[in-house]
Amino acid sequence: MKTFSLPSEGPKERPDFLAQLNAQQKQAVTHTDGPLLIVAGAGSGKTRVLTYRIAYLLQQYKAAPEQILALTFTNKAAREMKERIKDLIGDKAGKLWMGTFHSIFSKILRFEAEKIGFGSDFTIYDTSDSQTVVKQILQELNFDTKEIKPKTIHNKISDSKNQLITADTFQEKFISSTLDDITARVYSIYNKRLKQSNAMDFDDLLVKPIELFQKHPDVLEKYQDRFKYILIDEYQDTNHAQYKVTKMLADKYQNICVVGDDAQSIYSFRGADISNILNFKEDYEEATQVPLEQNYRSTKAILQCADSIIKRNTKQLDKTLWTEQGYGERITLLENFDERDEANRVASHIQNLKMRHGYKNNDFAILYRTNYQSRVFEESLRRKDLTYQLVGGLSFYQRKEIKDVLAYLTLLVNPHDETNLLRIINEPSRGIGNKSIQDLLGQARDEGRSIWSIIQNVESLDVYKPAKARVREFVDMINRLRNNLENGETLTDTTKAVLEQSGYMKALVEENSQESMMRRDNIIELQNAISYYERGAKNASLSSFLQEISLITDQDKFDEDKPAITLMTVHASKGLEFPVVFIVGLEENLFPVGARQNFDVDIEEERRLFYVAITRAEERLYFSHCRSRFKFGEETRQARSRFLEEVDAGVVQTETGATITQKKDRFSDDGNSSGSDYTVDYDWKESRTKKTHRSPSATIHYDYEDGEDPFQVGVRVEHKKFGPGKIISRSGSGTDAKVVVFFKNRGQKKLMLRAAPLQVID
């Protein structure tokens, strides 16, 4: 085994960069030995602490770069940290083991895969590939995939893997329904099918290292000695498999440092276990806990709002965020008729802020709970000619034409990959029909071999005679391309040869449609990506390129410098920050989502999600909700989110400067709402002559001096003829004052205030 020597220890001078840290950050950076829990509040500089801690370990000769393992949740975070460390200590940063859980453990598995029965060039299946395998198994078991959804079965298998529940254990202990029984049958076959294809899914990249370490204690000890110091970012987001594998690695030296914020644990739906961070000091009794509480991101008003929300959760580690920044603007509440009104008003506020305060497009983020909410905002921003980027849409690497070309390239590395072989054996059409493909599958299943091994001997195939010739041509083409690659052909030339010899690009050109030309352009962009990779990588290989793109996350695709307004879910926004943030759709059963089986636990996570959304904002923050939404083609009345009843009312105002008075007991523990009415008090100055305009329900009252009136922009009114509406603009003064009102049932109307029969209704 390779050993690592440290430089001879001279005088350990105090590194200059420590002077840039506050007291808590400095304590976290310089505590080098033993387990350490860093509870890092939002915007408290955790990335700086991790970066400086690694630099400090190297400068103090505690470890060689190769002995430090730093695990993150995005490749982007790993790259940024490595660049910062390089600025501090130089090129030694390049030797660090730093990356996402999946990238680091896939790297380990490349070295050790043969010990657990896999080849080193195994394919990594993404979610869609895995669901394709599940669908094929269901069909082979004669289940209707329209009734038994492959996605549902795959999700249950994935959840089981993340909890380290094997197929055998699932079969023995976890069957309580027909769906569980089907899952158990598929789970066992699914694992065998992946191994036969020399493939691993995303969950295997965490589960297989545990299997490796359990079966080969000598391999575990090798990596324990290699990784003398382990650092884990976003520890609150780890699942049971991630917890287990890192605990195994840390057991020998106990030099494990975890950084996280329990208040930002929002991924239970994909297996994250908040107890990992809450119970860290039980796992490591000698652990030191350091809180990072000074926030460098947000104004005092935003922090006060966030704190008022998260303090309502019962399960949390003790910390209180504070900042030296100014109080800032109060949070603005936008009250809208429906989702179209909401989108238009948000877009108008963005235009206004750009014009009045000089904000740029990429200073804005619109955050929502679910992806479908983006559509109306996209439409509104397009109408106002505001550039935007949608995060979380269809990934470039998930497009059909890109996955097709990548399937060809994958076969050059791993021809036993059944899923990718079946994807392109007749793509583009080469005369190998579905009947012939099913015959090939049947023969492979009967003989217990991979399809690739079956089709090597074409004469032995039991398929339609003309199809045999086409299969032979396909096999010859793949073997020819593989030989050229093995003999030193560049990745760029190999990709070009694949496109030419397969006829894929020719088929797109001959189709000559707008869609086929777009697909052609996407493939050209893929060629550019491969060429760029080949020029930049030290030891470029097709296997490494395929692994790299298979591990790309949504956040890795986000371009924070693009001059565009960002639209994304709150989940996708974690780790990001923007000067101006709009949190939209703050309604019951939307944000928070509807009650689930364990409501008490889920509402705490929904509250943490709201906290994450609030703490993305640096300078200005807007809340928004609708009175009604269209669902299934019908208008549905919406109840305002309970979170708007929980926030500190002192930091929230309506568009006209009103502070909200909340109904504290609006929601019972079971999540049922008593309605969406609420009270707003306008804090006008006292005067000698005071008038009050009051609606019959008296839910809002206005007190104003002579010369002032309540008919301001944003106020809801009732017209005897046109019904309910909202004032959207105002012009003139005195007896010439005019308002433009958007009426729910009659559209937009321009009215003279002195003549119009308007009454404030809210």
Side-chain angles (χ1 to χ4, degrees):
M1 174 189 163
K2 183 178 178 180
T3 59
F4 305 97
S5 59
L6 298 175
S8 58
E9 297 192 20
K12 300 180 182 180
E13 297 180 1
R14 179 188 177 91
D16 291 335
F17 57 74
L18 292 183
Q20 304 173 35
L21 305 176
N22 65 40
Q24 291 176 324
Q25 291 174 334
K26 191 180 298 182
Q27 181 186 358
V29 166
T30 58
H31 183 282
T32 57
D33 296 319
L36 175 65
L37 169 61
I38 303 173
V39 184
S44 61
K46 71 176 179 64
T47 302
R48 168 178 282 197
V49 168
L50 276 174
T51 301
Y52 283 25
R53 179 177 169 80
I54 293 171
Y56 186 80
L57 288 171
L58 295 173
Q59 286 203 354
Q60 297 298 296
Y61 308 135
K62 288 288 185 178
E66 300 92 331
Q67 291 178 303
I68 296 176
L69 171 63
L71 296 167
T72 67
F73 274 82
T74 67
N75 298 299
K76 180 173 178 252
R79 284 194 301 270
E80 289 177 353
M81 286 174 59
K82 192 170 285 189
E83 288 169 5
R84 291 192 195 185
I85 295 168
K86 186 176 180 180
D87 290 340
L88 293 172
I89 63 169
D91 293 335
K92 287 189 293 184
K95 297 180 180 180
L96 295 165
W97 280 64
M98 179 179 289
T100 64
F101 278 88
H102 293 92
S103 65
I104 290 295
F105 287 107
S106 67
K107 183 178 179 180
I108 290 174
L109 287 169
R110 295 287 175 193
F111 294 132
E112 313 290 350
E114 292 182 2
K115 293 182 175 65
I116 53 174
F118 287 82
S120 61
D121 284 330
F122 60 83
T123 303
I124 300 173
Y125 279 1
D126 62 21
T127 301
S128 65
D129 294 329
S130 299
Q131 289 176 5
T132 297
V133 177
V134 170
K135 181 178 180 180
Q136 187 178 58
I137 295 170
L138 286 169
Q139 290 171 337
E140 291 175 9
L141 294 174
N142 296 317
F143 288 110
D144 185 347
T145 54
K146 292 182 179 179
E147 292 185 6
I148 308 298
K149 303 292 185 184
K151 180 178 180 180
T152 302
I153 301 298
H154 173 254
N155 285 343
K156 291 177 79 68
I157 292 173
S158 178
D159 290 344
S160 298
K161 285 191 175 186
N162 284 323
Q163 295 176 53
L164 302 181
I165 300 170
T166 66
D168 289 341
T169 303
F170 190 95
Q171 176 73 54
E172 293 171 6
K173 300 181 179 179
F174 292 92
I175 295 180
S176 59
S177 67
T178 301
L179 190 63
D180 289 339
D181 184 58
I182 296 171
T183 300
R185 296 173 65 185
V186 173
Y187 192 176
S188 179
I189 300 172
Y190 174 81
N191 283 343
K192 294 174 183 175
R193 198 65 52 82
L194 259 60
K195 192 165 187 178
Q196 188 178 59
S197 294
N198 192 30
M200 296 186 193
D201 63 21
F202 261 45
D203 304 309
D204 286 332
L205 298 180
L206 302 175
V207 174
K208 294 300 180 184
I210 297 173
E211 177 186 334
L212 170 70
F213 294 154
Q214 289 174 335
K215 290 182 176 179
H216 300 276
D218 58 318
V219 177
L220 171 59
E221 187 172 9
K222 178 175 77 171
Y223 286 101
Q224 286 176 334
D225 287 330
R226 175 185 284 271
F227 303 132
K228 187 177 178 183
Y229 285 89
I230 299 173
L231 300 91
I232 306 174
D233 191 15
E234 304 286 7
Y235 194 63
Q236 77 281 348
D237 293 334
T238 53
N239 60 31
H240 185 58
Q242 289 163 326
Y243 161 81
K244 176 73 173 179
V245 72
T246 53
K247 193 170 189 306
M248 293 174 79
L249 287 172
D251 269 352
K252 185 170 184 178
Y253 291 105
Q254 299 277 302
N255 288 326
I256 181 170
C257 167
V258 303
V259 184
D261 182 5
D262 55 296
Q264 297 186 68
S265 178
I266 58 173
Y267 293 116
S268 67
F269 67 93
R270 66 185 190 197
D273 187 351
I274 192 174
S275 67
N276 291 346
I277 191 168
L278 295 178
N279 298 335
F280 182 81
K281 295 184 75 173
E282 294 180 15
D283 291 325
Y284 302 92
E285 294 181 0
E286 302 300 319
T288 298
Q289 180 172 324
V290 178
L292 302 182
E293 298 175 306
Q294 182 175 358
N295 178 282
Y296 294 92
R297 176 187 299 159
S298 306
T299 64
K300 288 180 180 176
I302 293 170
L303 279 190
Q304 188 175 332
C305 180
D307 189 63
S308 67
I309 279 291
I310 204 61
K311 291 297 187 189
R312 293 176 176 269
N313 274 6
T314 58
K315 298 177 181 178
Q316 56 183 299
L317 298 171
D318 184 42
K319 65 181 176 302
T320 300
L321 291 184
W322 61 277
T323 182
E324 292 181 344
Q325 299 196 61
Y327 187 80
E329 299 288 331
R330 287 202 291 170
I331 292 88
T332 300
L333 175 65
L334 308 182
E335 304 153 324
N336 312 284
F337 279 127
D338 56 25
E339 60 265 47
R340 290 186 180 277
D341 185 26
E342 179 179 48
N344 289 334
R345 293 171 67 74
V346 168
S348 294
H349 276 280
I350 290 174
Q351 280 187 323
N352 186 54
L353 288 168
K354 288 179 64 179
M355 180 178 65
R356 293 193 175 189
H357 301 283
Y359 286 110
K360 303 184 294 294
N361 280 341
N362 59 334
D363 290 330
F364 298 95
I366 301 173
L367 307 182
Y368 36 78
R369 181 64 178 81
T370 56
N371 276 307
Y372 78 81
Q373 293 172 257
S374 71
R375 181 184 61 81
V376 290
F377 291 98
E378 291 184 74
E379 292 174 356
S380 183
L381 294 174
R382 281 198 298 266
R383 282 196 299 269
K384 293 184 181 295
D385 199 26
L386 291 168
T387 305
Y388 67 89
Q389 63 173 328
L390 181 66
V391 178
L394 182 65
S395 163
F396 175 80
Y397 290 105
Q398 290 297 314
R399 298 179 187 278
K400 178 188 181 302
E401 62 274 15
I402 301 302
K403 285 187 73 72
D404 286 346
V405 176
L406 292 176
Y408 275 104
L409 295 174
T410 298
L411 288 192
L412 306 189
V413 175
N414 177 19
H416 295 283
D417 183 337
E418 183 177 286
T419 299
N420 281 303
L421 188 152
L422 292 175
R423 183 182 184 94
I424 47 85
I425 194 171
N426 195 45
E427 182 66 50
S429 178
R430 53 174 58 91
I432 306 173
N434 189 57
K435 173 65 167 61
S436 297
I437 292 174
Q438 292 304 313
D439 289 341
L440 290 175
L441 267 173
Q443 188 172 344
R445 298 290 179 264
D446 290 342
E447 298 182 20
R449 298 161 60 196
S450 70
I451 293 179
W452 178 252
S453 63
I454 291 290
I455 62 178
Q456 293 303 296
N457 184 4
V458 177
E459 300 307 320
S460 68
L461 299 180
D462 185 19
V463 296
Y464 185 52
K465 187 173 181 180
K468 283 187 179 183
R470 303 292 178 262
V471 172
R472 182 185 293 109
E473 292 172 4
F474 175 78
V475 171
D476 290 345
M477 174 186 67
I478 296 298
N479 281 328
R480 184 168 58 250
L481 291 166
R482 293 187 73 209
N483 288 334
N484 291 342
L485 181 65
E486 290 172 0
N487 290 329
E489 187 174 69
T490 67
L491 304 188
T492 302
D493 289 342
T494 297
T495 306
K496 184 178 179 181
V498 165
L499 294 170
E500 289 176 353
Q501 295 184 35
S502 67
Y504 199 96
M505 195 66 95
K506 180 182 177 183
L508 292 177
V509 172
E510 290 177 348
E511 183 181 328
N512 196 30
S513 65
Q514 184 176 1
E515 183 180 357
S516 69
M517 291 301 100
M518 288 177 63
R519 290 183 174 181
R520 174 179 170 273
D521 290 344
N522 286 336
I523 290 174
I524 291 172
E525 184 59 32
L526 174 64
Q527 290 179 284
N528 293 339
I530 291 172
S531 296
Y532 181 80
Y533 163 79
E534 192 166 30
R535 288 197 304 270
K538 289 183 179 179
N539 298 303
S541 70
L542 181 54
S543 178
S544 295
F545 173 75
L546 293 171
Q547 175 179 322
E548 185 174 300
I549 63 173
S550 71
L551 298 171
I552 291 174
T553 67
D554 280 347
Q555 276 209 358
D556 295 322
K557 301 189 288 284
F558 171 64
D559 183 0
E560 60 189 12
D561 296 321
K562 184 176 181 179
I565 298 159
T566 299
L567 278 69
M568 58 180 14
T569 64
V570 181
H571 281 102
S573 75
K574 188 155 174 293
L576 304 176
E577 55 189 38
F578 303 88
V580 185
V581 170
F582 293 84
I583 306 174
V584 300
L586 284 169
E587 298 136 36
E588 285 297 298
N589 297 317
L590 181 55
F591 198 178
V593 295
R596 303 174 192 167
Q597 288 180 339
N598 193 338
F599 185 82
D600 290 337
V601 172
D602 287 335
I603 199 62
E604 291 219 345
E605 177 151 330
E606 289 293 307
R607 195 175 283 117
R608 292 195 294 269
L609 189 60
F610 186 43
Y611 173 84
V612 166
I614 292 171
T615 53
R616 298 313 93 199
E618 297 174 322
E619 300 170 9
R620 295 174 185 266
L621 177 61
Y622 291 77
F623 295 154
S624 178
H625 75 95
C626 298
R627 291 282 183 157
S628 64
R629 286 184 182 273
F630 276 90
K631 296 181 179 179
F632 306 106
E634 295 183 2
E635 186 181 22
T636 305
R637 185 170 174 81
Q638 296 293 102
R640 195 174 79 168
S641 171
R642 71 190 62 213
F643 297 151
L644 293 176
E645 313 304 333
E646 296 177 353
V647 296
D648 184 340
V651 296
V652 183
Q653 65 181 10
T654 63
E655 293 170 275
T656 53
T659 56
I660 60 173
T661 301
Q662 300 136 322
K663 294 185 177 180
K664 300 299 181 183
D665 299 320
R666 252 184 78 211
F667 298 96
S668 59
D669 290 339
D670 63 1
N672 293 324
S673 166
S674 61
S676 60
D677 290 334
Y678 52 90
T679 302
V680 179
D681 291 330
Y682 281 73
D683 187 20
W684 298 101
K685 291 179 288 186
E686 293 290 333
S687 65
R688 289 169 299 175
T689 307
K690 188 160 62 176
K691 301 177 183 178
T692 301
H693 279 239
R694 197 175 291 221
S695 71
S697 63
T699 54
I700 296 184
H701 69 269
Y702 303 83
D703 297 331
Y704 60 97
E705 297 177 350
D706 286 338
E708 294 180 332
D709 64 61
F711 298 104
Q712 304 295 326
V713 173
V715 170
R716 301 180 188 278
V717 294
E718 179 87 29
H719 189 283
K720 288 184 179 179
K721 181 178 179 181
F722 303 140
K726 178 187 283 189
I727 299 174
I728 59 175
S729 70
R730 176 175 173 143
S731 60
S733 60
T735 57
D736 293 326
K738 304 180 184 69
V739 291
V740 176
V741 182
F742 181 84
F743 292 100
K744 181 178 176 182
N745 300 319
R746 301 296 292 271
Q748 188 170 299
K749 303 289 183 182
K750 190 170 185 177
L751 304 170
M752 294 288 293
L753 265 182
R754 60 184 171 83
L758 290 177
Q759 184 180 36
V760 174
I761 60 172
D762 275 343

